Amino acid sequence: MRAYVYERSGETYALAMQERANRRPGAGEVSVRVRAASLNYRDLVALRNKAGRDVGGRIPLSDGAGEVVAVGDGVTNVRPGDRVAGCFFQTWESGPFEMSAHKNDLGGTLDGMLAEEVVLRAGGVVRIPSSYSFEEAACLPCAALTAWQSLVERAALKKGQTVLTLGTGGVSVFALQFATAMGARVIVTSSSDEKLAKAKALGGAETINYRTSPEWEKEVWRLTEGRGADVVIEVGGPGTLGKSLASVAPGGTIALIGVLTGFGPPDTTLFPLMAKNANLCGIYVGSRMQFEAMNAFLETQPLRPVIDRVFPFVDAAKAFDYLESGDHFGKIVVAID
């Protein structure tokens, strides 16, 4: 079978396609014929070596979906023919997060999904929503589940509350869709009026162009009549955290997710967090049980993942380039046929 791997190229990595032998699943494992995989900013961080993590020889991408083609001894939760997606953390099945999960993350410490066939833990796969294509289901494991945990599991979002999403990448767009489906009011930020128009079409109540309104936290305050947002989907990191602290409502929650502005420390006071009795939650995807709960919710909704563009398997490198351009709205997918 064909698979891509990260190959060292100077100080960064390049994608190299390899031929690998298919491996039969062992006890407690399943073999999945991958039909589609999706990209996250984390994958670009690995390719460009922005975090200094050694991923040489590793198959990229945490997110993918396909059908089970074989199961090992003792596997009862899935069978050949089932349509499944892999879980980002292969060993976080339920309960509180444990640091040991970091030793079992797809596309990082473990081989990922950018291959024609993969072997995963039986406890590390979930059935995908029945009406979803493989391309749509490939968008769920990281971006969708991160948004779900932020809004539902950690912030306990309620109807009528206000959600602020930063940008229009995968997590932010899923947060917009989930929050709208739950009856919340969503404020969306972007530097592109075209993307803001798309966000409006998905149900965004208010939009802010942070290029033309660099003090966008004041716009959030104005749009909420001086109260702020109950939940902030914070994907920027140190460069935007100060504005998110200024934007969150009393008793609200900032879901700290991304590092789009870098890995350094924030240059801001944390006093607003105390003054507002607000919550700052670190979010790193979610468990298999949470994934299953999210999929059960999706089965009841007309909500569909927003896919900006689908690249063929042979053009996977171009998908990474497109992600780096920042031109996308929603998810970028690689079809594996």
Side-chain angles (χ1 to χ4, degrees):
M1 63 99 176
R2 296 177 300 168
Y4 280 98
V5 298
Y6 291 119
E7 186 176 78
R8 194 77 189 194
S9 178
E11 295 299 314
T12 63
Y13 294 92
L15 291 183
M17 187 181 287
Q18 293 182 351
E19 285 286 342
R20 292 191 173 191
N22 289 353
R23 180 169 77 83
R24 290 285 302 171
E29 295 181 329
V30 301
S31 182
V32 178
R33 171 69 172 91
V34 185
R35 297 296 183 181
S38 76
L39 280 71
N40 297 291
Y41 183 70
R42 168 184 187 259
D43 305 310
L44 187 61
V45 168
L47 184 70
R48 302 302 185 218
N49 197 24
K50 294 183 177 183
R53 187 179 195 181
D54 182 7
V55 293
R58 184 76 67 235
I59 296 175
L61 305 193
S62 58
D63 294 16
E67 66 253 355
V68 175
V69 292
V71 301
D73 291 343
V75 175
T76 58
N77 61 311
V78 292
R79 59 186 180 183
D82 284 349
R83 302 166 73 244
V84 299
C87 297
F88 182 99
F89 288 117
Q90 283 287 286
T91 57
W92 187 14
E93 296 191 30
S94 62
F97 182 75
E98 299 289 345
M99 290 302 288
S100 59
H102 286 295
K103 298 178 181 178
N104 296 279
D105 60 313
L106 294 180
T109 56
L110 301 179
D111 280 336
M113 302 294 288
L114 195 55
E116 291 178 320
E117 193 168 309
V118 299
V119 174
L120 303 173
R121 293 181 72 256
V125 298
V126 298
R127 289 184 177 85
I128 63 178
S130 56
S131 65
Y132 275 25
S133 67
F134 287 122
E135 288 81 8
E136 290 172 324
C139 300
L140 300 178
C142 183
L145 187 52
T146 296
W148 176 265
Q149 185 176 179
S150 300
L151 297 172
V152 178
E153 304 289 344
R154 303 295 286 277
L157 182 68
K158 298 178 178 61
K159 183 178 180 179
Q161 289 187 319
T162 298
V163 174
L164 170 65
T165 67
L166 305 192
T168 53
V171 173
S172 294
V173 171
F174 271 117
L176 164 61
Q177 292 178 285
F178 283 143
T180 300
M182 295 172 191
R185 175 195 185 202
V186 184
I187 301 171
V188 182
T189 72
S190 174
S191 62
S192 165
D193 287 337
E194 180 182 356
K195 290 181 179 181
L196 290 174
K198 291 179 180 179
K200 275 271 192 182
L202 286 174
E206 306 285 353
T207 60
I208 303 171
N209 187 316
Y210 61 78
R211 295 290 187 205
T212 56
S213 298
E215 294 185 312
W216 49 264
E217 71 279 17
K218 294 182 179 179
E219 275 296 291
V220 173
W221 214 245
R222 182 183 67 80
L223 292 170
T224 58
E225 298 180 344
R227 186 175 188 281
D230 298 288
V231 185
V232 180
I233 302 300
E234 168 54 77
V235 298
T240 53
L241 182 58
K243 292 181 180 294
S244 291
L245 286 166
S247 300
V248 70
T253 298
I254 298 174
L256 184 60
I257 296 160
V259 290
L260 294 178
T261 60
F263 291 87
D267 183 19
T268 187
T269 175
L270 296 179
F271 181 73
L273 197 67
M274 297 178 287
K276 296 178 179 181
N277 277 284
N279 305 294
L280 179 63
C281 297
I283 305 291
Y284 206 160
V285 199
S287 69
R288 190 198 74 192
M289 183 175 291
Q290 291 166 349
F291 198 165
E292 291 172 338
M294 179 186 74
N295 285 351
F297 174 80
L298 291 173
E299 291 280 13
T300 69
Q301 301 293 321
L303 187 158
R304 315 295 297 205
V306 177
I307 298 174
D308 183 289
R309 196 167 165 190
V310 178
F311 288 82
F313 190 52
V314 294
D315 288 337
K318 293 181 180 179
F320 277 81
D321 291 340
Y322 186 52
L323 176 63
E324 191 167 31
S325 76
D327 291 336
H328 60 290
F329 179 93
K331 295 293 290 178
I332 299 168
V333 173
V334 176
I336 307 173
D337 51 24

